[in-house]
Amino acid sequence: MNTENNTAIFYITDNGLKTAERLKVLYPDAPVLKFKSEIVSEIWNESRNLIFIMAAGIVVRTIAPLIKDKKTDPSVVVLDEKGEYAISLLSGHLGGANELAKKIAEFLKAEAIITTASDVNNLTSIDLWAKENNLVIEDWELVPQIGTRLLNNGALRIFSEIQIELPDEFLKVSDPRFADVLITNKKDPFTDSPIHRFTHSSIYPSTQLYLRPKNLVIGIGCNSGTSDKEIAEAIKAVFDENNLSFLSIHSIATIDIKEDEEGLNAFAEKYNFKIKTFNVDELNAVEGLQKSDVVFKATGANAVSEPAALLASGTSELLVPKYKLGNVTIAVAELNHFTTSPLHPFTTSPLHPFGRIYIVGTGPGSIEHLTPYAQDAIRKSDVIVGYGTYLDLIQELLKDKEVISTGMTKEVERCKRAVELAMSGKTVSVISGGDPGIYAMAGLVFEVLRAEARKSRSAEVTSELPNLQTSKLAIEVIPGISALNACAARLGAPLMHDFAVISLSDRLTPWELIEKRLAAAAMSDFVIVLYNPKSMGRPGHINKARAILLRYRSTETPVGIVKSAMRENERIIITNLRDMLNYDIDMQTTVIVGNSQTFTWNNYMITPRGYENKK
Ligand code: SAH
């Protein structure tokens, strides 16, 4: 059974089916199934969310033999057939049933029934908080005990070796002995420390829960044919020796020629570690490390494990310098900031107390074409920075936000302001129409950040920005539907074959270069998408572009002109190179010129992919 998005909805009665169908709006891909206990057993393991519209008793009897543990069981929500109550029945925290029940209740205007103690008392649940912050729980058996301590005392004491924002009821302590929860990549933070644990003293908590930040990068070099077992043992030995927790491993870094090294890949796969590779030039560019003649002879690199660890971690200091054990060399570095986990993008990440920037694409127009992910980012932002027209289109998301809007040509100013606000600790969304990385703001934000980083490195020049640690900002680019997607969809299927995208704006690109690219694309029979086809300042560009295309294409070549795709005043025209100038083409318009095979049919513009010829 294929449960797309791993959500399924079960019903029994006709009324139940009606409620299920209302829920389809929230979960369009979820199958709606007439209840049968066999189907539930069949899909249990692969499901993330199961929604049952029926008596809770039936659900309890059905799932009882299937339940394993809260790390793997799907979330289960039960609704009465009228959809007046949504009960979070199983996997309330980690599985997300509480959130699911709340979301469904909000949508159906029903009441969510949540029974987990921390929620009832409005307290943070330690397991959920750990998950949201990318921290690995070392011993799950201790979680209930720590949870109870939180409920009874109303607070938990946290010792952390990483920078992390804590909810109000988590109190930071600087002495690890007093902590209920320790956040550290050190296996035992009491070893090598002047503070010793007095386990018998009653003033200290009797059990302590360890949360492991995934912030260690292992640089590794190995001889060909080294087994995964040998690699694992070497890493474990180095970690033991240096008092580091294996659970804190973030990723592995090595030289590119080891990309297909079997043992290394098998090791990484087993523990689900990503491998990042660097080439000889990149490795040799890292200065100040010990060189090895043997490694140089074999690879051309002066060294592998140490520079790879430094490059991958983004730091300049090793936590553990090179160890050589048998066929393996290992060095360890600590990530200087966590990258946001793509699955939980909107939680505060421990090493990002400096605020964050979302560079958000809002799509071609209306909110329906703005992804839920992007909407979420905007909702979670304190400040929204953007250009007037795009902001107007998403007005309803902007209530109670600080909005900074400037004229269209003030992009650099907008970006600097956004970076400045993020540095002050705020969450800022920089908004672009369409996709933020296509003729829009994403590149500019990075350019501004790079310039700031450079300035702060050169001592003579003082930065314009108050805080110089731009590298500590969390940055996420969130894609949107670009005009080319929106306009192609409106026209039919014009982009089914190779295409080139050219902006006719010469505000930042010399016109000669634009002409050169037009000619090259036309010559190579690309379908051509023209952005910024005309503006007040340059009405003649589209005429010149057409003239260039006509050198290589027939007058009959289909041309699609789409103005304001997916907005109120949308207009779609299908014409050809001969007649295209008879239509209004403005700055809200995208023009798509077909290749030599493009045809029109029933008022659609289609570029064949070639299936017809391949019989
Ligand atoms: N980042 C945007 C492009 C910005 S450049 C994106 O990915 O879509 C601005 C140009 O995009 C406009 O001049 C126009 O050519 C095109 N454009 C943007 N939105 C459009 C829409 N809704 N319909 C047609 N063209 C659009």
Side-chain angles (χ1 to χ4, degrees):
M1 150 133 329
N2 175 23
T3 49
E4 267 183 84
N5 289 344
N6 301 325
T7 298
I9 307 171
F10 290 95
Y11 70 96
I12 294 182
T13 60
D14 289 349
N15 274 339
L17 176 59
K18 279 187 204 147
T19 303
E21 270 158 6
R22 283 165 70 200
L23 280 182
K24 278 293 271 186
V25 179
L26 267 189
Y27 302 102
D29 296 330
V32 170
L33 305 164
K34 177 103 183 177
F35 172 78
K36 263 204 193 127
S37 58
E38 302 84 72
I39 305 183
V40 179
S41 328
E42 205 178 294
I43 66 170
W44 181 260
N45 284 333
E46 69 197 60
S47 297
R48 261 187 61 196
N49 305 311
L50 296 178
I51 303 166
F52 294 89
I53 307 171
M54 62 196 68
I58 303 174
V59 182
V60 172
R61 282 177 214 290
T62 308
I63 66 174
L66 306 171
I67 295 173
K68 283 192 210 87
D69 70 72
K70 62 165 151 182
K71 280 178 278 175
T72 53
D73 290 330
S75 69
V76 175
V77 169
V78 181
L79 278 79
D80 59 303
E81 61 169 34
K82 287 194 182 149
E84 287 174 355
Y85 300 97
I87 309 169
S88 165
L89 193 67
L90 189 74
S91 302
H93 288 149
L94 276 190
N98 290 353
E99 288 312 309
L100 185 67
K102 283 185 211 159
K103 190 169 165 189
I104 292 174
E106 192 182 319
F107 180 72
L108 296 178
K109 304 210 169 19
E111 195 173 333
I113 314 282
I114 312 288
T115 55
T116 39
S118 55
D119 298 81
V120 173
N121 291 286
N122 242 341
L123 295 170
T124 305
S125 103
I126 188 78
D127 48 350
L128 194 62
W129 182 78
K131 180 181 170 191
E132 285 173 354
N133 287 284
N134 249 334
L135 300 166
V136 182
I137 294 176
E138 184 161 270
D139 185 353
W140 276 90
E141 308 258 311
L142 297 179
V143 170
Q145 199 180 329
I146 298 293
T148 309
R149 210 179 287 168
L150 171 61
L151 283 173
N152 292 342
N153 303 344
L156 282 179
R157 289 162 296 182
I158 316 277
F159 169 80
S160 179
E161 291 192 328
I162 60 170
Q163 285 178 305
I164 187 162
E165 260 180 57
L166 300 177
D168 289 346
E169 60 271 32
F170 289 5
L171 313 172
K172 203 165 228 165
V173 292
S174 52
D175 184 337
R177 288 172 302 181
F178 288 107
D180 301 298
V181 176
L182 295 104
I183 303 171
T184 171
N185 56 24
K186 294 210 186 67
K187 204 178 226 170
D188 181 353
F190 298 95
T191 323
D192 306 329
S193 140
I195 297 170
H196 290 286
R197 190 187 341 220
F198 296 92
T199 36
H200 300 300
S201 169
S202 59
I203 59 164
Y204 305 124
S206 51
T207 41
Q208 299 184 301
L209 177 71
Y210 282 88
L211 302 180
R212 303 301 188 182
K214 284 177 101 47
N215 63 353
L216 298 178
V217 178
I218 303 183
I220 191 163
C222 65
N223 292 329
S224 308
T226 309
S227 73
D228 57 329
K229 195 160 160 269
E230 184 176 346
I231 293 171
E233 277 166 9
I235 292 176
K236 283 187 180 144
V238 171
F239 269 53
D240 280 347
E241 173 81 19
N242 290 280
N243 190 25
L244 293 173
S245 165
F246 197 81
L247 293 177
S248 278
I249 298 177
H250 172 270
S251 56
I252 295 171
T254 188
I255 186 166
D256 56 3
I257 51 176
K258 289 284 164 199
E259 218 158 49
D260 299 321
E261 186 66 41
E262 236 171 76
L264 191 59
N265 282 311
F267 168 73
E269 208 166 292
K270 179 162 176 202
Y271 294 100
N272 207 6
F273 298 144
K274 284 211 178 85
I275 305 186
K276 195 157 189 186
T277 59
F278 299 96
N279 63 33
V280 168
D281 294 338
E282 290 169 311
L283 293 170
N284 288 349
V286 183
E287 289 165 2
L289 298 174
Q290 233 185 1
K291 298 178 183 176
S292 153
D293 288 342
V294 185
V295 175
F296 183 78
K297 275 200 195 110
T299 64
N302 296 325
V304 172
S305 60
E306 292 194 340
L310 288 179
L311 287 170
S313 66
T315 45
S316 53
E317 227 172 289
L318 291 161
L319 189 66
V320 180
K322 185 173 82 177
Y323 269 72
K324 182 154 175 41
L325 296 169
N327 290 302
V328 189
T329 54
I330 289 164
V332 184
E334 204 172 56
L335 276 182
N336 76 344
H337 53 77
F338 271 165
T339 44
T340 342
S341 145
L343 287 174
H344 305 287
F346 303 129
T347 53
T348 321
S349 108
L351 293 164
H352 275 143
F354 294 94
R356 51 177 66 228
I357 301 188
Y358 296 122
I359 309 169
V360 184
T362 57
S366 52
I367 289 221
E368 294 81 79
H369 292 101
L370 175 57
T371 65
Y373 195 97
Q375 293 187 27
D376 234 19
I378 294 173
R379 276 196 205 100
K380 303 238 154 92
S381 297
D382 307 310
V383 190
I384 311 294
V385 179
Y387 156 60
T389 311
Y390 296 137
L391 295 179
D392 290 347
L393 291 164
I394 54 159
Q395 234 168 21
E396 50 190 281
L397 283 177
L398 304 180
K399 290 174 210 146
D400 59 74
K401 304 270 176 218
E402 185 183 337
V403 176
I404 296 179
S405 131
T406 56
M408 183 170 66
T409 53
K410 297 270 171 67
E411 293 102 339
V412 181
E413 200 179 282
R414 252 184 283 155
C415 267
K416 283 197 173 150
R417 187 79 191 107
V419 171
E420 201 174 290
L421 284 161
M423 295 310 304
S424 74
K426 296 205 162 155
T427 299
V428 183
S429 273
V430 177
I431 303 287
S432 293
D435 182 86
I438 299 183
Y439 307 124
M441 298 291 277
L444 190 55
V445 174
F446 286 112
E447 282 182 51
V448 167
L449 285 171
R450 184 176 72 160
E452 284 309 314
R454 282 193 176 154
K455 269 195 227 163
S456 64
R457 245 182 274 131
S458 66
E460 313 82 42
V461 193
T462 46
S463 164
E464 286 172 34
L465 300 181
N467 188 332
L468 305 175
Q469 290 171 296
T470 42
S471 64
K472 296 232 168 107
L473 281 181
I475 305 167
E476 184 170 351
V477 181
I478 299 175
I481 297 176
S482 186
L484 72 89
N485 303 112
C487 298
R490 286 300 191 242
L491 292 168
L495 304 182
M496 282 294 291
H497 219 288
D498 301 342
F499 61 95
V501 183
I502 300 173
S503 163
L504 297 190
S505 165
D506 62 353
R507 193 157 70 87
L508 303 165
T509 312
W511 178 252
E512 297 70 48
L513 183 59
I514 297 174
E515 284 201 345
K516 197 164 142 193
R517 288 185 179 158
L518 282 165
M523 195 183 305
S524 320
D525 204 27
F526 280 109
V527 176
I528 298 172
V529 183
L530 300 175
Y531 277 65
N532 299 306
K534 203 188 228 171
S535 75
M536 297 308 182
R538 41 183 183 276
H541 284 179
I542 189 73
N543 309 18
K544 288 190 197 156
R546 171 177 172 269
I548 294 171
L549 300 184
L550 275 173
R551 282 189 225 143
Y552 304 94
R553 291 204 193 162
S554 98
T555 49
E556 300 308 309
T557 308
V559 172
I561 302 174
V562 183
K563 179 184 155 101
S564 300
M566 284 145 193
R567 296 185 198 160
E568 248 172 36
N569 52 341
E570 176 181 272
R571 204 200 52 205
I572 304 157
I573 284 158
I574 293 182
T575 171
N576 55 31
L577 269 181
R578 186 184 51 237
D579 300 330
M580 63 178 273
L581 294 180
N582 299 339
Y583 301 91
D584 180 33
I585 295 175
D586 65 8
M587 273 311 265
Q588 316 309 322
T589 306
T590 297
V591 177
I592 301 186
V593 182
N595 68 14
S596 59
Q597 307 302 307
T598 304
F599 61 90
T600 58
W601 171 79
N602 270 357
N603 228 5
Y604 288 112
M605 174 173 171
I606 299 124
T607 301
R609 177 80 178 91
Y611 293 113
E612 277 289 289
N613 308 336
K614 200 163 186 267
K615 288 263 164 66

